[in-house]
């Protein structure tokens, strides 16, 4: 009778699915151990609780991955138990499961750079790269222990799978066989629907997504422990992070008052200095001593002596933050004042539109516009987006035309490429605008052989690269100073995002976005330290204010030198949660509701004050909603310019 009821088949199926749960739990533990400095949990019991909450997300991921396997295991084909069919199921099971499982292992390392579980958006980071194979092989070599662990646990998984097999049987009572199969099929379909939805069968609810992981944690970064990478990838497939909103209490009048998306300044006389913007790869605020004088970090060491020196003659913004998490976020934030939240704006369906930006406004004032990036032309999508912004001249590895200076991974070393940019600018007719996106302060964290004894391994591998890029900047400024264009040039230096962290202060969730902003103009009034909130999207309006640009223009940022017309604020996103800072508080927001309010100095987000919500918190939440609503409206409706 049992062979007609297929009980053995169902037991084996549940065993095989149980194995997936076991190995996902192992991956979660390893993910935590690899990133323990970023994901510190107070106790073993707290970690067990996070693992428990993670079961719902594991269930959804396992069901996504095994959907076809499950259906083919239970549909009544009569041949389900024979050796050939079971062999087919074996290859289907591991062909899908191990591919998904491997993404968890990628995040053991990649999480240190993005501070978020990998989503489908990661494809946008690498799709423009010409050296994908080399980068992947470099990963395998540099982090050999990760693929070794993957191979070990995959082998163990296969071994345990084979320990329990389906017994061969030939059903003779077809009515029993089909009847039980129909019942079992319906039960399993119900289980799949409930599992993918997170255990909830209510019509009013939707399948769980990345935001739901935040419901179970006190510390927002612990949501990445609750999640798993296959789930993050599946739940971002075919999604569009750009959805128009309509928040209660938010209207056009409020947006114009609180967000001021259209700016116009009359603080300075009209001038036409050159403008050069350095977007420094992975160059977090942590590495520069001038930005850490008030941080009270024990035994702090700077890795940027030149930038420390330059800061004494510049205006520096010591409370500045990135508006994104990746390089492709940095270009749009800095040059166009367009932040990226869940998804990168540049890889969304919406960048091909008229965009008012630092590039377009300066070009309209007669500036020659250039973009320099030492990687392969088109890397990161910079070439394509540059054309949308109106960049006239793109200088990449092709134009440099000397691969003896190629680092073997990303592009031309910073030192020779900076000199190439300087020599190119020497030939430009003023006024000109130029942006360079640096490459050398990047994984795999190497410096030219001739400097391997000069820039030695620091507390973390990126430290020697930070010192090398700082040295390259020193040589650039030393040579540029000799040119007539130098004295009439505004230099802006900012990082695209943060990277490897050493000091505990920068492990705090808010400070994982902490970047430097340096504005230097020789012999100008702009010298000093500004501790107000600042962000990448402020650079665009700040430069226009400095040159006395009088026309209205679209910008969500503010001039960092205008203290009269708008209040300082910062907005960014973990990829699932908005973080909005203004006044005395930090607000975390899930797109619908505020999740928490924290004192402005509570960068670790430890003490949630939402139970004692006050009027200032209400206003901050409303401002956050107003920003998001205007952002989504303008992006989707293609109104990224002043009316």
């Amino acid at each position: 009778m049992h062979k007609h009821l297929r009980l053995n088949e169902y037991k084996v199926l549940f065993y095989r699915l149980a194995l997936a749960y076991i190995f996902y739990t192992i991956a979660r533990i390893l993910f935590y151990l690899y990133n323990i400095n970023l994901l510190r949990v107070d106790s073993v019991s707290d970690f067990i609780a996070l693992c428990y909450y993670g079961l719902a997300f594991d269930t959804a991921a396992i069901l996504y991955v095994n959907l076809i396997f499950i259906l083919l295991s239970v549909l009544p084909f009569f041949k389900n138990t024979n050796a050939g069919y079971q062999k087919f199921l074996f290859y289907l099971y591991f062909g899908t499961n191990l591919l998904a499982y491997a993404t968890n292992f990628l995040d053991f390392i990649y999480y240190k750079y993005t501070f978020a579980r990998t989503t489908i958006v990661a494809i946008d980071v690498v799709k423009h790269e010409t050296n994908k194979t080399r980068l992947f092989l470099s990963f395998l070599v540099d982090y050999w222990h990760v693929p070794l662990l993957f191979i070990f646990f995959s082998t163990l998984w296969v071994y345990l799978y084979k320990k329990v097999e389906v017994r061969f049987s030939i059903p003779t009572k077809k009515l029993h066989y089909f009847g039980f199969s129909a019942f079992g099929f319906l039960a399993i379909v119900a289980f799949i629907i409930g599992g993918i939805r997170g255990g909830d069968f209510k019509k009013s609810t939707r399948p769980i997504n990345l935001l739901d992981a935040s419901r179970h944690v006190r510390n927002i970064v612990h949501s990445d422990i609750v999640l798993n990478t296959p789930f993050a990838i599946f739940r971002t497939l075919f999604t569009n992070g750009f959805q128009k909103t309509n928040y209660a209490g938010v209207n056009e009048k409020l947006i114009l008052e609180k967000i001021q998306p259209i700016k116009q300044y009359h603080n300075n006389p009209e001038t036409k200095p050159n403008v050069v913007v350095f977007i420094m790869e992975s160059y977090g605020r942590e590495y520069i001593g001038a930005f850490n004088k008030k941080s009270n970090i024990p035994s702090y060491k700077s890795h940027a002596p030149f930038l420390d020196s330059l800061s004494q003659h510049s205006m520096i913004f010591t409370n500045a933050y990135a508006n994104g998490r990746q390089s492709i976020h940095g270009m749009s934030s800095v040059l166009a004042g367009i932040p990226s939240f869940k998804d990168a704006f540049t890889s969304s369906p919406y960048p091909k539109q008229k965009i008012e930006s630092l590039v377009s406004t300066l070009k309209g004032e007669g500036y020659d516009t250039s973009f320099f990036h030492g990687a392969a032309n088109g890397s990161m999508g910079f070439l394509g987006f540059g054309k949308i912004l109106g960049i006239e001249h793109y200088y990449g590895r092709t134009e440099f035309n000397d691969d003896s200076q190629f680092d073997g991974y990303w592009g031309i070393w910073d030192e020779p490429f900076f000199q190439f940019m300087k020599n190119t600018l020497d030939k430009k007719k003023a006024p000109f605008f130029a942006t360079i996106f640096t490459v050398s302060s990047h994984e795999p964290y190497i410096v030219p052989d001739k400097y391997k004894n000069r820039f030695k391994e620091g507390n973390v591998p990126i430290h020697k690269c930070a010192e090398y890029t700082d040295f390259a900047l020193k040589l650039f400024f030393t040579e540029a100073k000799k040119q007539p264009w130098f004295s009439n040039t505004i230099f802006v230096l900012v990082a695209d995002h943060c990277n490897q962290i050493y000091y505990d202060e920068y492990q705090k969730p808010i400070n994982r976005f902490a970047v430097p902003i340096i504005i230097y103009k020789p012999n100008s009034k702009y010298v000093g330290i500004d501790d107000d909130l600042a962000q990448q999207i402020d650079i665009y309006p700040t430069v226009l204010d400095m040159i006395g640009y009088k026309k209205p223009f679209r910008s969500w940022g503010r001039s960092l030198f205008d203290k009269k017309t708008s209040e300082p604020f910062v907005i960014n996103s973990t990829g699932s949660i908005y973080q909005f800072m203004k006044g005395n508080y930090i607000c975390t927001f899930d797109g619908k509701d505020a999740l928490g309010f924290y004192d402005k100095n509570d960068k670790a987000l430890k003490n949630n004050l939402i139970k004692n919500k006050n009027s200032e918190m209400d206003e901050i939440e409303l401002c956050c909603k107003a920003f998001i609503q205007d952002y989504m409206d303008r992006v989707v409706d293609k109104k990224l310019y002043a009316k």
Side-chain angles (χ1 to χ4, degrees), residues 261-281:
I262 308 301
K263 302 287 192 298
Q264 188 171 14
Y265 295 113
H266 299 281
N267 299 318
N268 295 296
E270 290 186 59
T271 57
K272 289 190 176 181
N274 307 306
V275 179
V276 177
V277 177
F278 285 83
I279 304 177
M280 301 184 292
E281 173 66 55

Side-chain angles (χ1 to χ4, degrees), residues 470-581:
D470 179 77
F471 172 72
L473 286 166
K474 177 182 178 181
L475 295 184
F476 170 86
F477 276 85
T478 298
E479 293 302 313
K481 223 179 257 188
K482 301 173 185 177
Q483 302 303 318
W485 56 265
F486 181 85
S487 60
N488 190 35
T489 301
I490 297 170
F491 294 94
V492 179
L493 298 97
V494 61
D496 58 342
H497 57 79
C498 297
N499 202 297
Q500 288 191 322
I501 296 171
Y502 177 65
Y503 296 109
D504 286 347
E505 180 65 23
Y506 289 93
Q507 304 279 9
K508 297 175 180 177
I510 295 299
N511 281 343
R512 294 178 190 180
F513 292 82
V515 297
I517 294 180
I518 301 172
I519 297 178
Y520 169 68
K521 188 174 188 300
N523 306 312
S524 79
K525 62 182 179 180
Y526 298 111
V527 178
I529 299 173
D530 191 319
D531 296 325
D532 284 345
L533 288 170
Q535 54 191 328
Q536 291 168 332
I537 63 173
D538 293 334
I539 290 171
Y540 160 35
T542 299
V543 171
L544 294 189
D545 185 16
M546 290 177 72
I547 69 171
Y549 184 79
K550 294 294 189 290
K551 302 171 188 175
F553 61 97
R554 189 276 316 156
S555 171
W556 288 299
R558 66 182 182 92
S559 169
L560 294 170
F561 297 121
D562 183 82
K563 303 293 184 181
K564 299 175 291 185
T565 59
S566 56
E567 292 182 63
F569 75 96
V570 167
I571 188 169
N572 49 43
S573 168
T574 65
S576 56
I577 302 296
Y578 293 95
Q579 298 177 149
F580 191 88
M581 294 179 270

